Amino acid sequence: MTGTLVNTTVNGDAVQFACPTDESLMDSLRDRVGLTGVKEGCGTGDCGACSITLDGELVCSCLVLGVEANGRNIGTVEGLADGDKLHPLQEQFINHAALQCGICTPGFLVAAKALLDKNKNPTEEEIRYALAGNLCRCTGYDKIVRAVQAASKDLRKKK
Amino acid sequence: MTHDQSFTNQKFKLVGSRVNRPDGVDKVTGRAKYGADASAPGQLVALFLRSPHAHAKIKKLDTSKAEKLAGVKAVITSADLPDHTAGAQLDVLENCMARDRVLYDGHAVAAVAAIDKETAKKALKLIKVSYGKLPHVTDVDEAMRPGAPLVREDIFTRGVDPKPTEPSNVCKVSTFGHGDIEAGFDEADVIIEKSFKTEQTHQGYIEPHACLASVGPDGNGELWVTTQGHYTYRTVCAALLGMDMAKLKVTSSEIGGGFGGKTHVWIEPIALALSRKANRPVKAVMTRDEVFKASGPTCSTSMDIKIGAKKDGTITAGSAHIRYQDGAFRGQWGQLGAMTAFACYDLKNVQSVGYDVLVNRPKVAAYRAPSAPMAAFGVESTMDLVAEAIEMDPVTLRIKNAAKEGTRASYGPTYGPIGIGPTLEAAKNHPHMRAKLKKNQGRGMACGFWFNFGGQTCTDINISADGTVNLTLGTVDVGGSRASMSLICAEELGIPYDQVKANIADTSSLGHNDTTEGSRGTFSSGMATIFAAREAIEEMKERAAQTWDIPVEEVEWVEGEARAIGQKNDNLPPLTLKDIAARAAATGGPIAGHNEVVADGAGVSFASHICDVEVDPETGGTRIIRYTVIQDAGKAINPDYVEGQFQGGAAQGIGWALNEEYIYGDDGRLQNAGFLDYRIPVCSDLPFIDTEILEIPNPNHPYGIRGVGETSIVPPLAAIGNAVSNAAGVRMTHVPMSPPRILKAIEEAEA
Ligand code: FES
Ligand code: FES
């Protein structure tokens, strides 16, 4: 492999890796940084399983190149919990049985967090549209939407 | 030990409660390991070369240049694989790797293992294949016409008399039913005859097929794989590659959805073969494009349904001829469809005929209650037409003809206690039925049936010295079964849910378990768990008796503790499970319970769905306004996850009904192999999906369990078909009811 060196920040930690210039950030994160919580469902930007935040913006990491991460701030599902304290979204996903197989869950959590960071009290419709880029084949989305509603309530109470 | 499998109607303490799943934290933190998440030192990357043609002879296949490329460690074609041409596994291996001709767009012709993806990609480009194109057929009706291109030359239709002398694409004709349908139709006041079509859909699990294979020259191998049945994968892979089953350890990863699609092997035997040849671990992961083209979607169908009824609503006869396309390999899908078509009803005269037909498309695999949704679409749409013709409420018509205990099912057996009547009554009385509809909106309902399976199951319970319990299961957990099994185990032992830790064993650690399919997981592993726990309890009673020095007959197990019965034993304080566990070393060693069983007596399951839709007459677009699922679970062990199964099945059915379809070009190539063009429902497409769980116990299971995973996908095509037809004012007969099809139907009705 001929690689380019990338210096980046992942979930607050300085991370360095080398990757070919045509490698997706999803592959770099999974195969080089070891963050397999970033899931591949399609590799073409259609399923949201690989969702991460890049400088706070929600993106599909399969549509970003690894080399583009240089000097940027990456957030993945692995960075959601605060030490041994789960994020309210993580807690409510478990409480509401919002996952069956769970492969979509990391992407949903990252996307839902990006929504709640911007909109503290989203309506059902806002939640449904904000999560429309994330596919879930198991749940029919019912319990996912309820979990996000419950987490948004928890977060508002906390403030 | 023989166990009483019959329903005991016990009162439950834990079963039926909404507990959190034991694998929840792993799955919300990204820690859970799925098929593509495992790696091994020195691993190679496998990639596949696939056919661009629907049907062609492989005239020449030259891999020499690829083999010489630096970094390529193994190349495999069918020449490297055992020839199973005459054996039972022919279809399986030929699907994994084409032999002398390719049978569909995406059929694998070669595979390489290289040090990285870049090298593997380069190697694929260096493989030279020259194809001689053959005529192809992708439509089920066209494949049945005389003179259609033959997918295989050695297919002579089974199930017809006399046996045909010419080959055709029809592998099998399966006929079920009883009575005299001609006499039945003669008695009818109205007869409705209608033809329907459904298009091919994919299970659409979000996790692509993935595995990590490792085989050494000593014949020992390991396979880490996303699968619904790691024991089945072991059996098949060992047979295909000539390996000893005991030397191939298969571990099921967390599974990112399967719905039937992960019951067959696809890339796994090839990954093992590459690893054996290279003597290095090999990781193989399908792309989404490959998943669509070369895993196993469900059938497309075409059918003719005929139902006759008296004015009072009595159905006098029903017949169905349903043609299922199996892809390029023989299946049993027509047979299953014919069995399910009229299973909801109590009919004097009924005949259903299923056809299994080959076409140049990928091998069909199971998809959640395989074959039943299509048959239900035809029959349940026709039921609505009958109701309309005799001016009767469609639910009332169904209730009048519903099967009940003692009914001879259209596919043969006589039903025990069943839930079709109760789900229909619940639908009739549901507030959803009385909600007001607005302009352009319509309501539809339909019911559905699925058999549910049992099968071979094996479970271990090991009690640790501190009294915590390991429950070792062999049925893959596809959607929360570790929680349900822990509940059952804790219930039997009389201990808290948290005291049990459930694990899924690899194939070396526990005896054979059939694949998690046919909604068998909770039914059969539940049964084995109950019996294993009872065995552990017997052992603990022995230990208590020994400690107390009294006969074991004077010991009973109540609420998680051994109690000595009888006045003379009044001075003996109870021994809890923890007490007994702590003393195990002194009383006879480790305490375990074990059970192996062929779980018989799976309980059939029925559901009724109600759906409101709004159809935009300008665009033909349909929105689901409200959706209600009513289903008999037998017993809901963990209601949260039962509801989840109801909702998930309904959502898949909604996608199938409105949007999803494989689109083939005239060249026989798949045109929409991706989630952008094969659009599954997204969050903003759906409303909340209401559920109602009925519990009509299965008398053949100690807890009354039936299984809940599949029935929920059976009614949606028809329920939505009826709703759309009511909203648009024109009968829809072709699924998916995509905007162009709805507009065309409206235009034709107006013309
Ligand atoms: S893997 Fe990136 S969107 Fe599907
Ligand atoms: S829980 Fe399986 S895809 Fe969402």
Side-chain angles (χ1 to χ4, degrees):
Chain A
M1 179 200 80
T2 42
T4 302
L5 198 63
V6 177
N7 285 295
T8 182
T9 306
V10 182
N11 300 324
D13 298 329
V15 167
Q16 193 178 57
F17 61 85
C19 67
T21 48
D22 64 349
E23 180 172 288
S24 73
L25 180 55
M26 174 185 73
D27 282 346
S28 305
L29 287 172
R30 287 179 53 81
D31 300 340
R32 304 189 195 279
V33 187
L35 294 179
T36 51
V38 179
K39 301 297 178 196
E40 172 167 12
C42 65
T44 50
D46 301 315
C47 78
C50 65
S51 297
I52 59 160
T53 54
L54 195 60
D55 293 339
E57 285 299 316
L58 181 67
V59 296
C60 294
S61 60
C62 67
L63 296 184
V64 180
L65 294 172
V67 290
E68 288 181 87
N70 199 37
R72 316 279 289 271
N73 241 308
I74 293 169
T76 74
V77 71
E78 286 91 345
L80 271 191
D82 179 9
D84 66 356
K85 191 122 190 42
L86 293 182
H87 188 278
L89 276 164
Q90 294 173 306
E91 264 168 7
Q92 293 298 3
F93 265 60
I94 297 176
N95 292 341
H96 281 80
L99 50 144
Q100 282 176 34
C101 80
I103 192 86
C104 68
T105 309
F108 269 98
L109 289 168
V110 171
K113 170 146 190 305
L115 166 69
L116 297 184
D117 282 349
K118 288 203 183 106
N119 181 350
K120 301 255 168 301
N121 192 9
T123 62
E124 182 202 333
E125 199 180 357
E126 284 169 335
I127 294 172
R128 287 191 181 276
Y129 279 93
L131 300 179
N134 292 75
L135 300 181
C136 174
R137 193 55 156 174
C138 299
T139 64
Y141 306 102
D142 185 296
K143 292 179 190 295
I144 293 178
V145 174
R146 290 180 202 277
V148 175
Q149 287 176 327
S152 106
K153 216 167 156 192
D154 289 351
L155 282 163
R156 286 197 311 275
K157 261 193 268 164
K158 264 190 169 176
K159 295 287 146 67
Chain B
M1 206 186 298
T2 54
H3 298 277
D4 184 7
Q5 311 202 344
S6 57
F7 178 61
T8 54
N9 200 17
Q10 77 185 85
K11 290 269 169 288
F12 296 107
K13 279 214 161 92
L14 292 172
V15 160
S17 54
R18 296 171 185 263
V19 294
N20 286 345
R21 57 198 288 164
D23 51 330
V25 170
D26 279 352
K27 287 183 173 160
V28 299
T29 54
R31 228 179 275 159
K33 284 211 169 327
Y34 292 80
D37 297 340
S39 299
Q43 85 186 12
L44 304 171
V45 176
L47 288 181
F48 287 74
L49 185 71
R50 297 184 178 278
S51 162
H53 303 298
H55 195 190
K57 270 211 115 38
I58 300 175
K59 293 203 294 207
K60 218 171 136 217
L61 179 53
D62 180 5
T63 59
S64 55
K65 280 209 180 107
E67 279 163 56
K68 283 189 203 109
L69 182 70
V72 171
K73 303 293 175 184
V75 180
I76 291 270
T77 69
S78 62
D80 299 280
L81 297 166
D83 187 351
H84 287 279
T85 309
Q89 305 287 3
L90 160 74
D91 279 11
V92 182
L93 194 58
E94 197 187 358
N95 184 43
C96 295
M97 188 66 75
R99 204 143 262 284
D100 44 16
R101 53 183 190 159
V102 291
L103 297 170
Y104 57 91
D105 171 25
H107 200 169
V109 294
V112 301
I115 51 164
D116 55 26
K117 221 193 235 176
E118 284 177 291
T119 313
K121 273 188 197 159
K122 272 187 209 146
L124 288 188
K125 290 208 179 101
L126 293 174
I127 298 175
K128 292 275 163 299
V129 196
S130 78
Y131 293 102
K133 280 219 262 176
L134 296 167
H136 65 267
V137 59
T138 55
D139 178 82
V140 64
D141 287 326
E142 275 168 31
M144 289 179 78
R145 288 205 184 106
L150 286 183
V151 178
R152 316 183 76 98
E153 268 114 33
D154 56 351
I155 297 289
F156 297 85
T157 312
R158 285 182 291 149
V160 289
D161 200 23
K163 218 176 143 223
T165 50
E166 293 292 315
S168 77
N169 290 320
V170 184
C171 324
K172 194 163 82 175
V173 178
S174 312
T175 306
F176 294 89
H178 53 250
D180 179 344
I181 52 165
E182 290 318 319
F185 284 122
D186 285 345
E187 280 175 47
D189 295 322
V190 295
I191 294 176
I192 305 286
E193 255 187 293
K194 200 97 191 151
S195 298
F196 300 88
K197 254 178 120 76
T198 69
E199 293 302 328
Q200 181 158 38
T201 57
H202 194 276
Q203 299 84 349
Y205 33 83
I206 305 302
E207 179 200 30
H209 298 270
C211 67
L212 176 63
S214 183
V215 188
D218 56 359
N220 286 313
E222 292 192 10
L223 181 68
W224 162 273
V225 59
T226 174
T227 172
Q228 292 173 242
H230 47 316
Y231 292 90
T232 306
Y233 274 37
R234 176 179 72 162
T235 307
V236 174
C237 289
L240 293 180
L241 300 172
M243 295 175 72
D244 293 334
M245 280 169 71
K247 292 182 190 160
L248 177 59
K249 178 170 107 177
V250 183
T251 307
S252 64
S253 69
E254 292 297 340
I255 173 171
F259 315 109
K262 289 176 184 165
T263 58
H264 297 271
V265 297
W266 313 98
I267 50 175
E268 299 78 10
I270 308 304
L272 284 164
L274 285 166
S275 171
R276 181 161 69 179
K277 197 167 177 189
N279 192 18
R280 298 257 299 254
V282 169
K283 185 159 164 176
V285 181
M286 271 194 180
T287 62
R288 180 54 56 181
D289 178 85
E290 290 181 294
V291 173
F292 275 112
K293 284 183 177 159
S295 65
T298 190
C299 320
S300 55
T301 67
S302 152
M303 66 195 106
D304 311 310
I305 311 290
K306 185 174 172 186
I307 296 176
K310 291 211 175 111
K311 282 207 183 87
D312 71 355
T314 311
I315 296 175
T316 57
S319 88
H321 288 258
I322 318 180
R323 302 168 285 275
Y324 287 81
Q325 68 86 359
D326 292 2
F329 298 89
R330 276 171 286 221
Q332 41 161 355
W333 313 114
Q335 181 187 334
L336 280 177
M339 290 170 84
T340 63
F342 287 105
C344 290
Y345 298 111
D346 183 3
L347 302 179
K348 267 227 308 273
N349 307 298
V350 57
Q351 187 189 54
S352 49
V353 187
Y355 302 81
D356 277 293
V357 185
L358 298 190
V359 300
N360 294 108
R361 295 194 189 204
K363 173 190 170 83
V364 160
Y367 179 15
R368 205 170 199 158
S371 305
M374 306 80 145
F377 175 60
V379 169
E380 290 295 287
S381 298
T382 310
M383 284 296 282
D384 261 33
L385 290 169
V386 171
E388 196 183 303
I390 59 169
E391 292 174 12
M392 188 178 233
D393 165 58
V395 194
T396 310
L397 173 68
R398 286 173 172 87
I399 291 174
K400 194 170 168 68
N401 293 285
K404 48 195 168 301
E405 187 167 358
T407 292
R408 179 166 173 210
S410 55
Y411 64 97
T414 300
Y415 288 131
I418 53 170
I420 177 67
T423 67
L424 284 165
E425 293 285 353
K428 189 171 177 141
N429 297 322
H430 199 284
H432 184 164
M433 275 297 186
R434 293 183 297 278
K436 282 236 152 41
L437 291 167
K438 299 199 191 111
K439 194 169 168 236
N440 295 329
Q441 295 185 347
R443 176 167 302 143
M445 68 84 55
C447 45
F449 156 90
W450 184 246
F451 308 91
N452 294 335
F453 294 178
Q456 298 187 74
T457 312
C458 183
T459 297
D460 270 347
I461 286 175
N462 286 288
I463 299 180
S464 314
D466 65 356
T468 56
V469 175
N470 270 125
L471 171 62
T472 307
L473 303 157
T475 45
V476 171
D477 180 349
V478 296
S481 66
R482 272 164 290 192
S484 312
M485 294 306 114
S486 300
L487 274 173
I488 290 174
C489 181
E491 181 83 45
E492 275 298 315
L493 296 175
I495 56 175
Y497 169 71
D498 279 352
Q499 213 168 311
V500 179
K501 169 75 182 168
N503 297 298
I504 310 297
D506 63 60
T507 57
S508 301
S509 314
L510 189 70
H512 175 86
N513 278 266
D514 285 345
T515 300
T516 302
E517 61 186 349
S519 299
R520 70 176 290 276
T522 307
F523 169 79
S524 56
S525 260
M527 193 183 274
T529 300
I530 291 167
F531 297 150
R534 289 180 184 171
E535 196 173 288
I537 288 170
E538 287 311 310
E539 183 59 31
M540 288 188 286
K541 280 160 65 181
E542 293 278 353
R543 305 294 178 93
Q546 196 186 322
T547 306
W548 286 325
D549 200 16
I550 60 172
V552 71
E553 293 71 37
E554 290 174 20
V555 182
E556 61 174 4
W557 188 265
V558 189
E559 290 176 7
E561 56 187 30
R563 291 181 190 164
I565 12 181
Q567 244 177 356
K568 66 178 186 333
N569 294 327
D570 268 358
N571 58 332
L572 299 171
L575 286 169
T576 65
L577 182 143
K578 283 194 176 174
D579 297 334
I580 297 168
R583 295 173 46 84
T587 58
I591 300 170
H594 181 75
N595 183 255
E596 53 268 308
V597 63
V598 178
D600 274 336
V604 293
S605 139
F606 293 91
S608 294
H609 289 197
I610 316 165
C611 169
D612 294 353
V613 301
E614 182 169 314
V615 177
D616 182 338
E618 300 293 312
T619 64
T622 300
R623 268 198 81 78
I624 304 287
I625 304 297
R626 184 168 178 181
Y627 203 100
T628 304
V629 177
I630 303 156
Q631 187 176 318
D632 172 20
K635 176 72 203 167
I637 305 300
N638 186 353
D640 272 345
Y641 285 86
V642 173
E643 290 163 3
Q645 289 296 323
F646 290 6
Q647 292 163 337
Q652 284 182 321
I654 290 168
W656 194 342
L658 294 178
N659 254 323
E660 297 175 34
E661 69 179 299
Y662 269 40
I663 298 169
Y664 277 88
D666 290 339
D667 56 0
R669 300 194 65 188
L670 182 60
Q671 297 185 329
N672 59 334
F675 278 138
L676 188 62
D677 298 318
Y678 181 99
R679 192 177 180 284
I680 71 173
V682 302
C683 201
S684 52
D685 292 335
L686 299 178
F688 286 122
I689 296 169
D690 296 329
T691 58
E692 189 174 330
I693 304 173
L694 302 189
E695 294 186 329
I696 294 128
N698 172 9
N700 304 315
H701 191 285
Y703 284 9
I705 294 170
R706 289 181 187 271
V708 296
E710 291 169 290
T711 313
S712 53
I713 202 174
V714 183
L717 307 193
I720 297 163
N722 289 334
V724 170
S725 302
N726 290 333
V730 48
R731 175 53 49 181
M732 297 305 299
T733 57
H734 195 162
V735 156
M737 293 165 277
S738 52
R741 278 200 191 106
I742 290 179
L743 280 186
K744 189 164 163 252
I746 293 175
E747 273 160 23
E748 279 172 7
E750 278 166 2

